[in-house]
Amino acid sequence: MRKLQGKSPQLVFIYEAGPCGYWLYRYLTRQDLPCFVVAPSLIPRKPGDRVKTDKRDALTLARLARSGDLTPVYVPAVADEAIRDLARAREDALGDLNAARFRLKALLLRNDLRYTGRANWSAEHLRWLARLVFPTPAQQIVFQEYVRTVSERTELLRRLETELLEQAKPWRFYPVVEALQALRGVQFTVAITTIAELGDLTRFDTPRQLMSYLGLTPSEYSSGERRRLGGITKSGNRHARRVLIEAAKAYRHRAKVSEPIQARQQQLPKAICDIAWRAQVRLCGRYRKLLARGKHPNTVAAAIARELAAFMWAIARVHPVSA
């Protein structure tokens, strides 16, 4: 910085987003220096350019910045990033728990041990596991370690969910998190993950921009009079896209304000409840129509998630955000 400030009265810093986070961006902005963080996937590159060096990359960034062809990424505040890290830690713990359960169930399947109860991982299922005895000591050790791993992962997930709820209450976006829970399928974990990953939804001018950012819009390869649409682009934030697709599966049933939804809507304004009901009427009907047309259930869930994001944007526009 000292070297460059002696050569130019005005400096603009640009670097690619990576695993080192935003500490450099925050340091430069505290020095009153303009800084932009750009996504590597959105940097235009020549297909035939096979030579990559730090100097060439720096020159490319400078040239594209001067021409206005770079797209800065959203940089969250420190408090917002802290909630996002906690939400991602919970997501990682859930993935570890599922992996541990799969390993245990695979061991039982290899030894032809099948649970005949109604639900796996219930209290009855855990009591059934405690009564199992394998024919060899080695297999019994493996079984006990797998059961212990599942118990530890379950406890870790419970602790993280409790901490996430406690840390989210004083958060400035918590009122929006509560408002989004008026929607069907959007429980606390879905709402907190969406807002932690996306921040202020109103920073998108239109719902279509939000859909595109989430990677829920169909890809397209058209030429001339022929228009070809493919699967969703899967660009943008994969964490928010995953929870929205999971939430969209709740609309496979008919529209109904159940008791849990009614409890979540009890302290919310009528305008938000009206938006949530319109979302139910439209999305439940659209889910059944797409299935009747022979669409794959995964394709239907992605289409419903795309429209669900638009209703979330509408609720965020109605509900104010704390400073």
Side-chain angles (χ1 to χ4, degrees):
M1 287 170 51
R2 287 192 298 268
K3 179 181 177 181
L4 294 174
Q5 283 175 339
K7 295 183 177 180
S8 175
Q10 183 179 3
L11 295 177
V12 177
F13 291 87
I14 299 172
Y15 69 94
E16 297 180 10
C20 295
Y22 305 111
W23 67 268
L24 181 58
Y25 168 86
R26 296 187 179 113
Y27 173 78
L28 292 172
T29 52
R30 283 197 302 268
Q31 307 297 324
D32 294 328
L33 294 171
C35 179
F36 301 96
V37 186
V38 296
S41 60
L42 298 179
I43 298 176
R45 301 187 185 277
K46 298 178 181 178
D49 190 1
R50 301 297 180 88
V51 180
K52 182 187 185 307
T53 63
D54 291 343
K55 184 177 181 180
R56 291 170 66 95
D57 288 347
L59 291 174
T60 300
L61 287 176
R63 184 172 60 253
L64 293 174
R66 184 173 57 185
S67 61
D69 293 329
L70 292 179
T71 304
V73 300
Y74 169 72
V75 179
V78 176
D80 300 344
E81 190 176 17
I83 297 296
R84 188 186 68 178
D85 290 339
L86 189 55
R88 289 186 179 181
R90 178 209 162 270
E91 184 179 347
D92 293 338
L94 179 60
D96 294 340
L97 174 60
N98 289 333
R101 287 176 172 177
F102 290 153
R103 286 193 293 266
L104 177 57
K105 293 179 70 175
L107 176 65
L108 298 177
L109 186 61
R110 290 196 300 269
N111 290 273
D112 196 26
L113 297 172
R114 305 171 188 272
Y115 177 65
T116 57
R118 297 186 60 182
N120 288 330
W121 314 113
S122 60
E124 178 61 30
H125 183 220
L126 295 179
R127 287 193 292 269
W128 176 78
L129 290 175
R131 295 193 297 266
L132 291 181
V133 177
F134 281 73
T136 64
Q139 288 177 318
Q140 188 67 29
I141 291 174
V142 174
F143 170 71
Q144 294 295 341
E145 291 296 334
Y146 279 174
V147 171
R148 182 179 179 182
T149 301
V150 171
S151 301
E152 292 175 350
R153 297 293 185 269
T154 303
E155 181 62 22
L156 174 61
L157 179 62
R158 186 194 65 79
R159 293 199 306 268
L160 288 174
E161 288 180 344
T162 302
E163 287 296 330
L164 184 59
L165 180 59
E166 291 298 324
Q167 296 294 329
K169 288 180 180 179
W171 189 33
R172 65 189 181 106
F173 284 116
Y174 187 68
V176 182
V177 173
E178 287 186 317
L180 292 182
Q181 294 181 62
L183 293 165
R184 184 176 190 168
V186 183
Q187 293 84 6
F188 172 74
T189 53
V190 175
I192 192 71
T193 301
T194 302
I195 298 301
E197 294 293 339
L198 304 180
D200 188 4
L201 298 183
T202 59
R203 64 189 177 92
F204 299 96
D205 295 331
T206 61
R208 191 174 298 274
Q209 291 183 1
L210 176 58
M211 298 173 189
S212 178
Y213 179 82
L214 290 169
L216 292 171
T217 53
S219 58
E220 183 175 356
Y221 186 81
S222 301
S223 179
E225 298 180 356
R226 176 175 295 181
R227 188 187 183 196
R228 295 180 179 178
L229 298 178
I232 59 175
T233 60
K234 295 184 179 181
S235 60
N237 194 290
R238 63 182 178 87
H239 303 279
R241 181 171 63 251
R242 182 190 64 82
V243 296
L244 285 178
I245 291 177
E246 289 297 324
K249 296 177 182 178
Y251 291 91
R252 63 185 181 274
H253 307 292
R254 64 179 181 179
K256 176 185 177 182
V257 180
S258 62
E259 186 175 349
I261 297 177
Q262 189 176 11
R264 298 200 301 264
Q265 294 180 353
Q266 190 171 5
Q267 303 297 330
L268 296 177
K270 183 178 182 299
I272 294 178
C273 298
D274 291 342
I275 294 175
W277 176 245
R278 290 200 301 270
Q280 275 214 61
V281 173
R282 174 172 174 79
L283 298 183
C284 290
R286 183 162 173 77
Y287 201 108
R288 293 194 300 270
K289 288 180 181 179
L290 291 176
L291 284 179
R293 289 167 54 186
K295 297 293 184 180
H296 193 277
N298 293 342
T299 303
V300 176
I304 299 301
R306 179 168 59 248
E307 296 196 20
L308 178 60
F311 284 105
M312 286 185 169
W313 179 86
I315 290 179
R317 297 271 292 186
V318 172
H319 204 283
V321 178
S322 302

